[in-house]
Amino acid sequence: MTAWLVRLCVTQEPPAARTVTAAAVGPSRAHCASLIAGLGCALALGGAGTGIVLLVGEPVSTDHTVAVPLLPAALAGLLAAGCSALVGAAVGALCARPVLHRHGWSLAATVLGSLLALVTGGSPARAAVTDLVTGSLTGTVRMPLLPAAGAVVVAAGAAALTARLAALRE
């Protein structure tokens, strides 16, 4: 979802408005603002989704034999949502302007990138979700700290690369 939100924020601004914004603050900062807007929306939705799960879910393992502590589970859920949002933001940034200008290629790359972020073994988003699922099965809370750190690095790298390209190409 974040990949699509970021892509929407980066590509849907009219060219004249983007030119004016880039002239006022610079193309790199204008591009970063679009990335942050998309990521912010995704983080808000992820936080709301985690809250809803906490409200309607049962704090026990899947087989109902082990109680799960609510506060650590909430933190793990928020970390996993943040991790997924950061990886999605990286995918969205790399699959839109200024990396890909053609609409068809951008759409295809976003679909493929989103899929790979979910199924690739080294993906921080997949690792965070796997930690949540494993914890649900066993009744333990596994904090996805390493995947979250990896997601921060991936998102920061994608943002830096695309902001630099925005400065060069626009």
Side-chain angles (χ1 to χ4, degrees):
M1 170 184 66
T2 308
W4 297 102
L5 287 171
V6 166
R7 189 181 169 286
L8 182 70
C9 289
V10 169
T11 61
Q12 294 305 309
E13 185 177 27
R18 186 166 182 86
T19 301
V20 169
T21 304
V25 298
S28 293
R29 289 179 74 187
H31 182 73
C32 284
S34 296
L35 297 178
I36 291 169
L39 177 60
C41 290
L43 289 171
L45 290 170
T50 301
I52 290 169
V53 169
L54 291 171
L55 287 173
V56 301
E58 295 180 59
V60 294
S61 63
T62 305
D63 61 2
H64 297 279
T65 59
V66 179
V68 176
L70 204 53
L71 188 57
L75 183 57
L78 289 172
L79 275 172
C83 183
S84 297
L86 286 166
V87 172
V91 170
L94 294 171
C95 295
R97 236 182 18 211
V99 178
L100 297 175
H101 287 274
R102 307 246 347 198
H103 188 67
W105 285 110
S106 178
L107 286 173
T110 304
V111 169
L112 180 61
S114 297
L115 178 64
L116 289 175
L118 294 173
V119 300
T120 302
S123 169
R126 179 179 178 214
V129 171
T130 300
D131 282 349
L132 286 180
V133 171
T134 302
S136 176
L137 293 172
T138 62
T140 60
V141 177
R142 298 174 63 172
M143 291 292 170
L145 297 175
L146 189 58
V152 167
V153 170
V154 167
L161 174 69
T162 58
R164 179 74 178 132
L165 284 174
L168 295 173
R169 290 189 179 180
E170 297 191 29

